Amino acid sequence: MKGVERQSQIYVGGVSGRRPRVPVDFAELERRAEGAMSQKAFAYVAAGAGLEETMRANREAFQRWRIVPRMLRDVSERDTSVELFGRRIPYPFLLAPIGVLELAHREAERAVAPAAAATGVPMIFSNQASTPMEEVAGLLGESPRWFQLYWSVSNDLVESLVGRAEACGCEAIVVTLDTTVLGWRTRDLELAYLPFLRGKGIAQYTSDPVFQRLLDEEPPRPLPGAAPRPGPAALGTLFQLIRNYPERFSPGRARKAVERFIQVYSRPSLSWDDLPFLRERTKLPILLKGIVHPDDARRALDAGIDGLVVSNHGGRQVDGSIGTLDALPGVAEAIDGRIPVLLDSGVRGGADVFKALALGATAVLIGRPYVFGLAVAGEAGVKEVIRNFMADFDLTMGLAGCGSLEAIDRQTLVRAA
Ligand SMILES: Cc1cc2nc3c(=O)[nH]c(=O)nc-3n(C[C@H](O)[C@H](O)[C@H](O)COP(=O)(O)O)c2cc1C
């Protein structure tokens, strides 16, 4: 659906007294999502690391560039599509991998997948998803999906996850590099809340045969600070886990699953030397997510990597770090068009997508906006957010005088004074 159709759908609805169910404005969308979620769930999704300076830097970076629209260029036909790894997608955006979506809505990925399929926007399955990838893949039909990997300390688990991703039709593997440990997330610390400890967001693990085997091997060490016997709150969440996987878990095994997950989920020692392991085990394109330095971009090219995601994890990892749009030109210059460069963190509307493309991105990932749409109205909410992004981008592109993505180049922007 092109921008004008979406606009008239909304305006014509207004004639009959209908207003959009999901706020169009991002700040209002976030406010509504806050009202729909528990305090802890909202904090987990909305918050950044430390003083949240990186979140601000992401937005400020977008604000420092201005679009300079060009006139009289016949933009009656606009092609918003782009090809990524041999697949043409309708708009230059994908849904970012977001873990623990059950915090936003109990249907989690089961609500996101139909929205992705209805709009044709690729979905990137999170390694920390609330629903096993095979089940979500089944809801996507032919719609594209990628898999995001957190590199576990267990290479067997890495291999198993990647094999499962291939088997359920994922078309690329995105290795997230910026979260070898969790950042210092002030709001979550204040509430002493980490969803994984409650058995949330570990469905890719609990559904994995290698993870199940790891559970049977030597007993996991209890978590530091854990009481020898779980209290009522901890027990409640373990029972949730058992309810989700009745065939696999007893209370003791559920607790073990959480402890084992904490031990295996990330590998802080990960280095460039590990990448060949993955390269040898999949034919799928491999993207590195979290690259912001041009030297790392060059190194990725040398390592035979197929794409990058310039990202700072939505400001959730290193506080006070560079905004992604500030990092993009240097990375794009180092890559010089040889592989796709994607960007996320702070993308909130069509103009942001436009600016990222103008500075060298092939496409962007939409993150928190779709999670807030999910919180407000489930599947319909995600669909609305995606359709608004599409419309906003299509109209911005046309009004700026660009009939195709190729026309969105560096000349379309100036630095704000
Ligand atoms: C609640 C939440 C969970 C996330 N989980 C993951 C994840 O499991 N894997 C990953 O690579 N990135 C994860 N991210 C980062 C997103 O993929 C993306 O980089 C980020 O949301 C972009 O910032 P924005 O949402 O502010 O636009 C998560 C982000 C949020 C907000």
Side-chain angles (χ1 to χ4, degrees):
M1 187 193 292
K2 288 293 170 189
V4 175
E5 290 166 54
R6 174 77 183 145
Q7 269 175 325
S8 44
Q9 190 183 49
I10 294 175
Y11 289 138
V12 169
V15 175
S16 329
R18 282 197 305 276
R19 296 263 297 272
R21 181 169 161 206
V22 177
V24 177
D25 172 63
F26 177 77
E28 183 58 23
L29 176 66
E30 180 165 14
R31 259 193 301 280
R32 285 274 298 283
E34 182 169 13
M37 295 163 82
S38 73
Q39 186 194 21
K40 287 173 178 152
F42 179 75
Y44 185 76
V45 174
L51 303 177
E52 303 190 339
E53 300 284 0
T54 304
M55 286 173 68
R56 276 189 285 281
N58 285 334
R59 288 306 308 154
E60 283 163 11
F62 282 103
Q63 287 154 10
R64 274 197 293 276
W65 290 98
R66 303 273 191 253
I67 300 167
V68 188
R70 300 297 302 271
M71 302 297 133
L72 296 172
R73 287 193 161 180
D74 185 1
V75 289
S76 53
E77 297 291 329
R78 298 180 293 280
D79 182 2
T80 55
S81 72
V82 65
E83 194 176 306
L84 270 178
F85 307 118
R87 155 91 81 159
R88 189 152 282 276
I89 56 174
Y91 280 82
F93 31 84
L94 303 86
L95 299 185
I98 303 268
V100 215
L101 284 175
E102 68 206 272
L103 295 178
H105 193 279
R106 70 191 136 69
E107 287 175 21
E109 288 81 5
R110 296 183 188 100
V112 175
T119 54
V121 172
M123 181 172 177
I124 308 180
F125 298 162
S126 163
N127 208 150
Q128 300 312 130
S130 299
T131 319
M133 61 181 107
E134 291 81 3
E135 189 181 337
V136 187
L139 300 171
L140 279 173
E142 296 301 305
S143 203
R145 81 274 336 233
W146 296 2
F147 176 67
Q148 174 266 319
L149 175 78
Y150 281 129
W151 201 306
S152 163
V153 290
S154 160
N155 266 348
D156 287 352
L157 183 57
V158 168
E159 196 169 353
S160 175
L161 289 166
V162 170
R164 288 170 60 197
E166 283 188 356
C168 69
C170 292
E171 295 174 13
I173 304 290
V174 179
V175 187
T176 298
L177 301 176
D178 57 18
T179 310
T180 44
V181 290
L182 281 187
W184 184 252
R185 298 182 184 169
T186 323
R187 293 198 231 178
D188 295 335
L189 291 162
E190 216 67 81
L191 297 169
Y193 182 68
L194 185 64
F196 313 113
L197 292 189
R198 322 272 177 128
K200 295 182 198 294
I202 62 171
Q204 310 291 25
Y205 300 82
T206 48
S207 58
D208 191 278
V210 170
F211 185 80
Q212 287 292 332
R213 201 191 67 213
L214 292 175
L215 280 185
D216 293 326
E217 288 174 3
E218 89 269 25
R221 291 180 304 277
L223 301 174
R229 297 192 149 274
L235 276 177
T237 48
L238 291 181
F239 281 121
Q240 272 174 14
L241 192 60
I242 297 162
R243 229 188 9 247
N244 284 343
Y245 302 98
E247 72 286 10
R248 288 207 177 93
F249 291 107
S250 62
R253 197 166 172 81
R255 190 174 187 210
K256 243 178 25 180
V258 172
E259 289 169 352
R260 182 61 91 202
F261 159 73
I262 295 293
Q263 283 157 9
V264 302
Y265 93 95
S266 83
R267 184 189 302 205
S269 69
L270 198 66
S271 78
W272 293 99
D273 296 339
D274 291 305
L275 294 180
F277 175 88
L278 188 59
R279 183 77 288 171
E280 285 155 20
R281 277 158 185 82
T282 182
K283 292 206 162 32
L284 294 178
I286 299 173
L287 295 92
L288 300 183
K289 179 169 181 274
I291 299 289
V292 287
H293 197 294
D295 289 349
D296 284 348
R298 276 185 276 271
R299 187 102 193 240
L301 266 185
D302 294 344
I305 292 299
D306 304 287
L308 301 180
V309 185
V310 174
S311 173
N312 55 34
H313 217 98
R316 298 162 71 78
Q317 287 299 99
V318 179
D319 195 24
S321 74
I322 184 168
T324 52
L325 200 72
D326 286 335
L328 177 63
V331 170
E333 195 188 345
I335 294 300
D336 197 21
R338 282 171 285 187
I339 54 174
V341 176
L342 280 56
L343 171 139
D344 73 16
S345 300
V347 176
R348 298 293 177 260
D352 299 336
V353 182
F354 185 100
K355 290 175 186 178
L357 265 55
L359 292 175
T362 313
V364 303
L365 312 187
I366 300 173
R368 289 183 180 96
Y370 89 80
V371 185
F372 293 147
L374 175 67
V376 170
E379 174 187 336
V382 179
K383 231 184 270 172
E384 298 265 300
V385 167
I386 294 173
R387 290 195 168 135
N388 289 347
F389 256 97
M390 289 176 160
D392 187 3
F393 176 71
D394 173 50
L395 294 170
T396 302
M397 174 175 152
L399 290 168
C402 300
S404 70
L405 303 194
E406 290 70 48
I408 305 176
D409 60 18
R410 180 65 189 75
Q411 307 310 315
T412 60
L413 301 186
V414 288
R415 278 300 259 195

